[in-house]
Amino acid sequence: MKFAVCFLTSALIGAGVGGGGLFTVYLSLSGAASQLTAQGINLLSYIFAAAPASALSYRRYGPDLRLITFLSFCSVIGCVFGALTAPAVTDDALRKIYGAFTAAAALFVLMRRRSLLRLG
Amino acid sequence: MSVNFFVNGKTSSEVRAALCGLSAIAAGFISGFLGAGGGAVLLLALRAIYGREAKTPYAAALCVTLPTAALSAAIYTVKTGLDISEAIRFIPFAVIGGVCGALFMDRAGSRTLETVFALIALTGGCAALLR
């Protein structure tokens, strides 16, 4: 089952919809892994799922390489702090923060979708 | 010293660069801390900075999340003792899923997929929050 969920969430990532978060939620809630391990597994699978979509969108849109380099540099700085902070938080608290973030992001997408529909 | 934040109603390039940098740092932190979500935050910020019509944000956000996720995964492996042999078993499914999704992207109704994804994420997020 966990491999099927990995496949489905990876397809969502490849389609540009997102979905990495769902795999973590599944692994954590099903008891297949602790929250921190689930996040690690999700990160690793994300790299391989997003690579085809990145190559495709890079070829299609040809974004500014300088912008990508600059953003990557800044993002890496933030990521080091984030990844070093995560193990300091308890598994339960991390799962709750993760859940709140995922629910908030989903609500945002739904609200935006609703306002777009209203605008026609 | 006066800083010209807006030029003809548009964000000046220096301010835009600073906003992009700060957004990327925040997105990187979320990506490292939660192991996901950084790309979405960066995409949102870049869309706000560049405008919804621009094609740059999506491709840039996607390209930036890859090195960030790779570094996060490396730190997780070292700091949390993540069992790589367990994690590696998921890679073939991730690759096949990613390729299928990328090929499907042109034909899929991305708005419908987005709504379905959001509904599932909302359920999952609430379940994780309340557990």
Side-chain angles (χ1 to χ4, degrees), chain B residues 85-112:
Chain B
S85 60
E86 166 71 13
I88 277 175
R89 294 195 300 151
F90 291 97
I91 290 175
F93 298 93
V95 172
I96 297 167
V99 171
C100 288
L103 294 174
F104 184 57
M105 187 158 58
D106 281 343
R107 285 162 291 178
S110 63
R111 293 274 176 215
T112 311

CSV table of all heavy atoms in Angstrom, one decimal, chain B residues 85-112:
chain,number,residue,atom,x,y,z
B,85,SER,N,18.5,2.3,3.3
B,85,SER,CA,18.0,1.0,2.6
B,85,SER,C,16.5,0.9,2.5
B,85,SER,O,15.9,0.4,1.6
B,85,SER,CB,18.7,-0.2,3.2
B,85,SER,OG,18.2,-0.3,4.6
B,86,GLU,N,15.9,1.4,3.6
B,86,GLU,CA,14.4,1.4,3.6
B,86,GLU,C,13.8,2.5,2.6
B,86,GLU,O,12.9,2.3,1.9
B,86,GLU,CB,13.9,1.7,5.1
B,86,GLU,CG,12.5,2.1,5.2
B,86,GLU,CD,11.5,0.9,5.0
B,86,GLU,OE1,12.0,-0.2,5.0
B,86,GLU,OE2,10.3,1.2,4.9
B,87,ALA,N,14.5,3.7,2.7
B,87,ALA,CA,14.0,4.8,1.8
B,87,ALA,C,14.2,4.5,0.4
B,87,ALA,O,13.4,4.9,-0.5
B,87,ALA,CB,14.7,6.1,2.3
B,88,ILE,N,15.3,3.8,0.0
B,88,ILE,CA,15.7,3.6,-1.4
B,88,ILE,C,14.6,2.7,-2.1
B,88,ILE,O,14.4,2.9,-3.3
B,88,ILE,CB,17.1,2.9,-1.5
B,88,ILE,CG1,18.1,4.0,-1.4
B,88,ILE,CG2,17.3,2.1,-2.7
B,88,ILE,CD1,19.6,3.5,-1.3
B,89,ARG,N,13.9,1.9,-1.3
B,89,ARG,CA,12.9,1.0,-1.9
B,89,ARG,C,11.7,1.8,-2.6
B,89,ARG,O,11.0,1.3,-3.4
B,89,ARG,CB,12.3,0.1,-0.8
B,89,ARG,CG,13.3,-0.9,-0.3
B,89,ARG,CD,12.7,-2.0,0.5
B,89,ARG,NE,12.0,-1.5,1.6
B,89,ARG,CZ,10.9,-2.2,2.1
B,89,ARG,NH1,10.5,-3.3,1.6
B,89,ARG,NH2,10.3,-1.7,3.2
B,90,PHE,N,11.6,3.1,-2.1
B,90,PHE,CA,10.5,3.9,-2.7
B,90,PHE,C,10.9,4.6,-4.0
B,90,PHE,O,10.0,5.0,-4.7
B,90,PHE,CB,10.1,5.0,-1.7
B,90,PHE,CG,9.4,4.4,-0.5
B,90,PHE,CD1,10.1,4.2,0.7
B,90,PHE,CD2,8.1,4.1,-0.5
B,90,PHE,CE1,9.5,3.7,1.8
B,90,PHE,CE2,7.4,3.6,0.6
B,90,PHE,CZ,8.2,3.3,1.8
B,91,ILE,N,12.2,4.6,-4.3
B,91,ILE,CA,12.7,5.4,-5.4
B,91,ILE,C,12.1,5.0,-6.8
B,91,ILE,O,11.6,5.8,-7.5
B,91,ILE,CB,14.2,5.5,-5.4
B,91,ILE,CG1,14.7,6.3,-4.3
B,91,ILE,CG2,14.7,6.1,-6.7
B,91,ILE,CD1,16.2,6.4,-4.1
B,92,PRO,N,12.1,3.7,-7.1
B,92,PRO,CA,11.5,3.3,-8.4
B,92,PRO,C,10.0,3.8,-8.6
B,92,PRO,O,9.7,4.2,-9.6
B,92,PRO,CB,11.6,1.8,-8.4
B,92,PRO,CG,12.6,1.4,-7.4
B,92,PRO,CD,12.6,2.5,-6.4
B,93,PHE,N,9.3,3.7,-7.5
B,93,PHE,CA,7.8,4.1,-7.6
B,93,PHE,C,7.8,5.6,-7.7
B,93,PHE,O,6.9,6.1,-8.4
B,93,PHE,CB,7.1,3.7,-6.3
B,93,PHE,CG,7.1,2.2,-6.1
B,93,PHE,CD1,8.0,1.5,-5.4
B,93,PHE,CD2,6.1,1.4,-6.8
B,93,PHE,CE1,8.0,0.2,-5.3
B,93,PHE,CE2,6.1,0.0,-6.7
B,93,PHE,CZ,7.0,-0.6,-5.9
B,94,ALA,N,8.7,6.3,-7.1
B,94,ALA,CA,8.7,7.8,-7.2
B,94,ALA,C,9.1,8.2,-8.6
B,94,ALA,O,8.5,9.1,-9.2
B,94,ALA,CB,9.7,8.4,-6.2
B,95,VAL,N,10.1,7.5,-9.2
B,95,VAL,CA,10.5,7.9,-10.6
B,95,VAL,C,9.4,7.6,-11.6
B,95,VAL,O,9.1,8.5,-12.4
B,95,VAL,CB,11.8,7.0,-10.9
B,95,VAL,CG1,12.1,7.2,-12.4
B,95,VAL,CG2,13.0,7.4,-10.1
B,96,ILE,N,8.8,6.4,-11.5
B,96,ILE,CA,7.7,6.1,-12.4
B,96,ILE,C,6.5,7.0,-12.3
B,96,ILE,O,6.0,7.5,-13.2
B,96,ILE,CB,7.3,4.6,-12.3
B,96,ILE,CG1,8.5,3.6,-12.6
B,96,ILE,CG2,6.1,4.2,-13.2
B,96,ILE,CD1,8.2,2.2,-12.1
B,97,GLY,N,6.2,7.3,-11.0
B,97,GLY,CA,5.1,8.2,-10.7
B,97,GLY,C,5.4,9.6,-11.2
B,97,GLY,O,4.5,10.2,-11.9
B,98,GLY,N,6.6,10.1,-11.0
B,98,GLY,CA,7.0,11.4,-11.5
B,98,GLY,C,6.9,11.5,-13.0
B,98,GLY,O,6.4,12.5,-13.5
B,99,VAL,N,7.4,10.5,-13.7
B,99,VAL,CA,7.4,10.5,-15.2
B,99,VAL,C,6.0,10.5,-15.7
B,99,VAL,O,5.6,11.3,-16.5
B,99,VAL,CB,8.3,9.3,-15.7
B,99,VAL,CG1,8.1,9.2,-17.2
B,99,VAL,CG2,9.7,9.5,-15.4
B,100,CYS,N,5.2,9.6,-15.1
B,100,CYS,CA,3.8,9.5,-15.5
B,100,CYS,C,3.1,10.9,-15.3
B,100,CYS,O,2.3,11.4,-16.2
B,100,CYS,CB,3.0,8.5,-14.7
B,100,CYS,SG,3.5,6.8,-15.1
B,101,GLY,N,3.3,11.5,-14.1
B,101,GLY,CA,2.7,12.8,-13.8
B,101,GLY,C,3.2,13.9,-14.8
B,101,GLY,O,2.4,14.7,-15.3
B,102,ALA,N,4.5,13.9,-15.1
B,102,ALA,CA,5.0,14.9,-16.0
B,102,ALA,C,4.4,14.7,-17.4
B,102,ALA,O,4.2,15.7,-18.1
B,102,ALA,CB,6.5,14.8,-16.1
B,103,LEU,N,4.3,13.5,-17.9
B,103,LEU,CA,3.7,13.2,-19.2
B,103,LEU,C,2.2,13.6,-19.2
B,103,LEU,O,1.7,14.0,-20.2
B,103,LEU,CB,3.9,11.8,-19.6
B,103,LEU,CG,5.4,11.4,-19.8
B,103,LEU,CD1,5.5,9.9,-20.1
B,103,LEU,CD2,6.0,12.1,-21.0
B,104,PHE,N,1.6,13.3,-18.1
B,104,PHE,CA,0.1,13.5,-17.9
B,104,PHE,C,-0.2,15.0,-17.8
B,104,PHE,O,-1.3,15.4,-18.1
B,104,PHE,CB,-0.3,12.8,-16.7
B,104,PHE,CG,-1.8,12.8,-16.4
B,104,PHE,CD1,-2.7,12.3,-17.4
B,104,PHE,CD2,-2.3,13.2,-15.2
B,104,PHE,CE1,-4.1,12.3,-17.1
B,104,PHE,CE2,-3.7,13.2,-15.0
B,104,PHE,CZ,-4.5,12.7,-15.9
B,105,MET,N,0.8,15.8,-17.4
B,105,MET,CA,0.6,17.2,-17.1
B,105,MET,C,-0.1,18.0,-18.2
B,105,MET,O,-1.0,18.9,-17.9
B,105,MET,CB,1.9,17.9,-16.8
B,105,MET,CG,1.9,19.3,-16.2
B,105,MET,SD,3.3,19.7,-15.3
B,105,MET,CE,4.6,19.5,-16.5
B,106,ASP,N,0.2,17.7,-19.5
B,106,ASP,CA,-0.3,18.5,-20.6
B,106,ASP,C,-1.8,18.2,-20.7
B,106,ASP,O,-2.6,19.1,-21.1
B,106,ASP,CB,0.4,18.1,-21.9
B,106,ASP,CG,1.7,18.8,-22.0
B,106,ASP,OD1,1.9,19.8,-21.2
B,106,ASP,OD2,2.5,18.4,-22.8
B,107,ARG,N,-2.2,17.0,-20.4
B,107,ARG,CA,-3.6,16.6,-20.7
B,107,ARG,C,-4.5,16.7,-19.5
B,107,ARG,O,-5.7,16.9,-19.6
B,107,ARG,CB,-3.7,15.2,-21.3
B,107,ARG,CG,-3.2,15.1,-22.7
B,107,ARG,CD,-2.8,13.7,-23.1
B,107,ARG,NE,-1.6,13.3,-22.4
B,107,ARG,CZ,-1.1,12.1,-22.5
B,107,ARG,NH1,-1.7,11.2,-23.2
B,107,ARG,NH2,0.0,11.8,-21.9
B,108,ALA,N,-3.9,16.6,-18.3
B,108,ALA,CA,-4.8,16.6,-17.1
B,108,ALA,C,-5.4,18.0,-16.9
B,108,ALA,O,-4.8,19.0,-17.2
B,108,ALA,CB,-3.9,16.3,-15.9
B,109,GLY,N,-6.6,18.0,-16.3
B,109,GLY,CA,-7.2,19.2,-15.9
B,109,GLY,C,-6.6,19.6,-14.6
B,109,GLY,O,-6.9,19.1,-13.5
B,110,SER,N,-5.5,20.4,-14.6
B,110,SER,CA,-4.7,20.7,-13.4
B,110,SER,C,-5.6,21.3,-12.3
B,110,SER,O,-5.3,21.1,-11.1
B,110,SER,CB,-3.5,21.5,-13.8
B,110,SER,OG,-4.0,22.8,-14.2
B,111,ARG,N,-6.6,22.0,-12.7
B,111,ARG,CA,-7.5,22.7,-11.7
B,111,ARG,C,-8.2,21.6,-10.9
B,111,ARG,O,-8.4,21.7,-9.7
B,111,ARG,CB,-8.5,23.6,-12.3
B,111,ARG,CG,-7.8,24.8,-12.9
B,111,ARG,CD,-7.6,25.9,-11.9
B,111,ARG,NE,-6.9,27.1,-12.5
B,111,ARG,CZ,-6.1,27.8,-11.8
B,111,ARG,NH1,-5.8,27.5,-10.5
B,111,ARG,NH2,-5.5,28.8,-12.3
B,112,THR,N,-8.7,20.6,-11.6
B,112,THR,CA,-9.4,19.5,-11.0
B,112,THR,C,-8.5,18.7,-10.0
B,112,THR,O,-8.8,18.4,-8.9
B,112,THR,CB,-10.0,18.6,-12.0
B,112,THR,OG1,-10.7,19.4,-13.0
B,112,THR,CG2,-11.0,17.6,-11.4
